[in-house]
Amino acid sequence: MSDAPGPEVGGAPGATGPRRADVLVVGSGVAGCFAAVRLAARGVAGVAVLTKGRLEDSTTQWAQGGIAAVMSDRTDSTESHLADTLRAGAGLCDESATRILVEEGPERVAELIGLGAVFDRTADGELERALEGGHSRPRVVHAAGAATGAEVARALGAALRESVAAAYEGWMVLDLVVEHGRCAGVVALAPDGTVERVLARHVLLATGGAGQLFAVTTNPPGATGDGAAMALRAGLGLTDVEFVQFHPTALHVPALPRPLLSEALRGEGAVLRGLGGERFVDELEPRYVVSRAIAAQMAADGTDHVLLDATSVDDFAERFPSLAKALGEVGLDPARDWLPVAPAAHYISGGLLTDLDGATVLPGLWAAGEAACSGVQGANRLASNSLLEGLVFGRRVADAICDGREGPEPTGALAARDAPAPFVAVRALALEGARPRPSGPASKITVLEARRSLQRSFSEGAGVVRSAASLAATRRALDQAARVLGTLDASSCAPRELVELANLVTLGSAVLTAAEHREESRGAHVRSDFPDEREAFRRRFEVSGAVAALPVLGR
Ligand code: SIN
């Protein structure tokens, strides 16, 4: 590790030449912040975190239920957590990565508490543990009932600000700089509208997910798959991106992001009912089983929601204050009303393939959290394993960098890339006219309208249940969005909106390609035309190829 001075990102206005950091962390959710704090704690001086919004604006902020970790071995075991995670992952988890997740998780949670995160405790001071779908024991630790993400974001934001790592808000990373076969930094749009090259020895992509591909999502507006799209533009592949998880119980109201009614409610006895009042699924099955059952029930009822009956949950307002508040705002009383819920896009299991330390195939480029495919989520993430993944693998990236690692090793999910059998490479086709122009005839539709239309087509054709025909319809809508992108006048659009649309189109094409190729139903990927799991498809698909270039931006 170099002992370079602190980062020069965001230095004096008008500074010329590339700016530098030792380690550049892109994204400020749990994985990025935890890695940055660890790097700083291990004495790396030049750590810079770039985030396109405010530090605490990431998807982490919105996480509810908590963090799954075996914090006490009296009634639980990491073997049981491992078995539950593998079962939920429907045959596609990498077992070595998953074992690391469950075994290192408890220590990482303890470190998070050491950094100041306050979790709910019982009267005798023990961490409270909730039960969630797919878990065979209550092991989900949580904060303020179901406001865990907000507490994690607060604690890590504070820890980062106190550390020597520097945080730069309002910096939108556009692309990776690749030189001499390694990642050498990024190109970013600075808050003043200039486009800057920021060079770094190591870049960690911790850019989160892409729920904004869908019209109905629990993710905030910034979840646009930026890291995945820039990886595709740099010629890298993405794996497992067809596995988009739909949370079964988002409150069915027109708000965006959709307020979530945490899985912890079902752990406390809330049950799902069709509109006729009948129960139709074991509510504590893994999430994909519940979402599939809800989709079938909605089709049978000819409606767009089912009902969550939480009337048996004692002391609702005291135990879940944030949920009681959200329900109160729309006039619902959980002690009296059955609550309308429907699945909403929540989490993408796939991303940039990594080894057991978060290294990607490109030396100098690392990925962690939702942007990565570490192999621990398989075809369906077990509830409350995502903050855990960010902590465990964010920390491992930091330690590997500090220990002098420069590139990938054939371990974990990345090792499968060298074995021909479990891996299939497919390529997205480039579209004619998909390159946005710096200027040109003003489009009749706005960036926002193009984004909304793309989101609707994904919800309709690439949602909880897909088929060759529905995916083809979504592909046509995506082609149309790419064409619109090519006609938009970059000089008259907000640059961030334009870049986010280009990223959604690029990642969206990869999601469709993988979903088209996966002619089976497995985990979160459900095909009505291929309703069963097929052994021949127990493999990962790697999709490469970018269908939309970025517009020319900046001064
Ligand atoms: C929830 O509280 O239901 C969400 C937890 C998760 O997505 O893991």
Side-chain angles (χ1 to χ4, degrees):
M1 195 71 250
S2 93
D3 48 8
E8 299 164 24
V9 188
T16 54
R19 297 161 182 213
R20 286 176 195 284
D22 215 354
V23 182
L24 201 55
V25 177
V26 186
S28 61
V30 59
C33 283
F34 202 63
V37 169
R38 175 70 180 169
L39 285 159
R42 285 200 59 182
V44 181
V47 182
V49 178
L50 298 191
T51 179
K52 65 181 176 179
R54 289 182 318 116
L55 203 56
E56 285 88 358
D57 279 350
S58 68
T59 306
T60 292
Q61 163 81 27
W62 296 79
Q64 291 196 354
I67 308 181
V70 179
M71 301 302 289
S72 147
D73 60 3
R74 286 198 300 271
T75 57
D76 199 359
S77 69
T78 51
E79 285 303 316
S80 165
H81 188 185
L82 175 70
D84 291 345
T85 303
L86 298 179
R87 179 169 97 90
L92 281 194
C93 290
D94 179 83
E95 190 165 338
S96 56
T98 311
R99 185 169 285 286
I100 282 174
L101 177 83
V102 300
E103 289 183 351
E104 295 184 4
E107 253 185 77
R108 298 296 86 83
V109 174
E111 282 169 16
L112 184 63
I113 292 170
L115 289 173
V118 179
F119 284 80
D120 297 329
R121 291 186 182 268
T122 60
D124 54 11
E126 292 219 9
L127 287 168
E128 270 183 16
R129 287 168 309 206
L131 181 63
E132 291 188 0
H135 289 275
S136 51
R137 305 265 202 300
R139 62 170 71 99
V140 177
V141 295
H142 47 85
T148 312
E151 176 57 11
V152 170
R154 182 205 63 74
L156 285 180
L160 187 71
R161 288 192 167 97
E162 277 169 23
S163 78
V164 296
Y168 298 95
E169 299 180 317
W171 281 71
M172 173 139 202
V173 175
L174 303 174
D175 265 319
L176 301 172
V177 175
V178 180
E179 281 171 1
H180 311 298
R182 65 173 288 139
C183 182
V186 302
V187 177
L189 188 65
D192 66 0
T194 56
V195 173
E196 308 278 349
R197 267 162 70 94
V198 185
L199 299 186
R201 180 88 196 140
H202 298 277
V203 174
L204 167 58
L205 284 183
T207 44
Q212 287 289 321
L213 254 183
F214 296 83
V216 177
T217 178
T218 61
N219 290 186
T224 50
D226 301 339
M230 67 182 92
L232 286 170
R233 284 192 294 272
L236 299 170
L238 301 177
T239 45
D240 290 358
V241 287
E242 65 274 39
F243 299 111
V244 177
Q245 182 178 74
F246 292 81
H247 193 291
T249 55
L251 187 62
H252 186 60
V253 291
L256 277 176
R258 280 287 194 279
L260 202 54
L261 293 184
S262 175
E263 197 135 337
L265 293 177
R266 280 175 276 137
E268 290 296 320
V271 295
L272 285 162
R273 298 185 187 280
L275 295 200
E278 71 287 11
R279 286 179 68 185
F280 56 88
V281 65
D282 174 352
E283 292 81 1
L284 290 175
E285 281 291 322
R287 205 165 269 181
Y288 74 92
V289 177
V290 181
S291 281
R292 284 185 194 190
I294 291 177
Q297 185 65 33
M298 293 193 310
D301 284 351
T303 182
D304 55 4
H305 65 279
V306 294
L307 299 165
L308 183 70
D309 171 2
T311 53
S312 65
V313 176
D314 294 330
D315 307 322
F316 192 110
E318 289 75 45
R319 292 164 72 195
F320 300 103
S322 53
L323 302 186
K325 183 164 173 286
L327 290 168
E329 281 166 6
V330 293
L332 289 167
D333 174 359
R336 183 196 62 207
D337 302 315
W338 290 353
L339 312 168
V341 292
H346 187 56
Y347 187 89
I348 186 159
S349 284
L352 214 53
L353 196 67
T354 60
D355 71 9
L356 291 177
D357 292 306
T360 73
V361 288
L362 182 66
L365 183 69
W366 308 74
E370 197 172 348
C373 178
S374 66
V376 302
Q377 313 296 3
N380 173 66
R381 175 178 66 88
L382 183 66
S384 287
N385 265 357
S386 51
L387 294 176
L388 185 70
E389 183 189 7
L391 292 173
V392 169
F393 287 92
R395 159 70 126 78
R396 288 181 75 88
V397 169
D399 283 348
I401 290 174
C402 290
D403 294 344
R405 276 272 303 281
E406 292 290 336
E409 288 179 351
T411 61
L414 194 71
R417 206 166 184 267
D418 298 330
F423 223 85
V424 177
V426 287
R427 219 185 136 73
L429 298 177
L431 285 169
E432 281 296 307
R435 175 176 289 278
R437 291 191 292 254
S439 63
S443 168
K444 289 196 182 62
I445 83 163
T446 65
V447 187
L448 195 61
E449 285 164 346
R451 176 164 164 161
R452 293 272 179 271
S453 153
L454 183 69
Q455 290 170 327
R456 278 195 301 275
S457 70
F458 267 81
S459 279
E460 279 160 22
V464 180
V465 182
R466 306 146 171 196
S467 67
S470 76
L471 292 168
T474 308
R475 170 73 68 187
R476 286 192 292 278
L478 182 115
D479 291 355
Q480 175 60 20
R483 272 186 217 101
V484 167
L485 192 59
T487 68
L488 289 168
D489 177 359
S491 63
S492 66
C493 300
R496 174 171 164 168
E497 286 177 8
L498 211 48
V499 173
E500 288 184 343
L501 179 60
N503 287 346
L504 287 172
V505 167
T506 297
L507 173 60
S509 178
V511 169
L512 289 181
T513 302
E516 286 154 1
H517 277 76
R518 187 167 288 285
E519 294 182 332
E520 65 162 351
S521 293
R522 180 184 296 277
H525 172 74
V526 182
R527 294 271 306 245
S528 57
D529 46 354
F530 295 99
D532 301 317
E533 227 171 72
R534 297 167 73 191
E535 185 53 27
F537 283 86
R538 202 161 69 76
R539 54 184 59 199
R540 297 187 200 289
F541 292 161
E542 183 179 60
V543 183
S544 57
V547 298
L550 279 189
V552 177
L553 296 171
R555 300 181 243 132

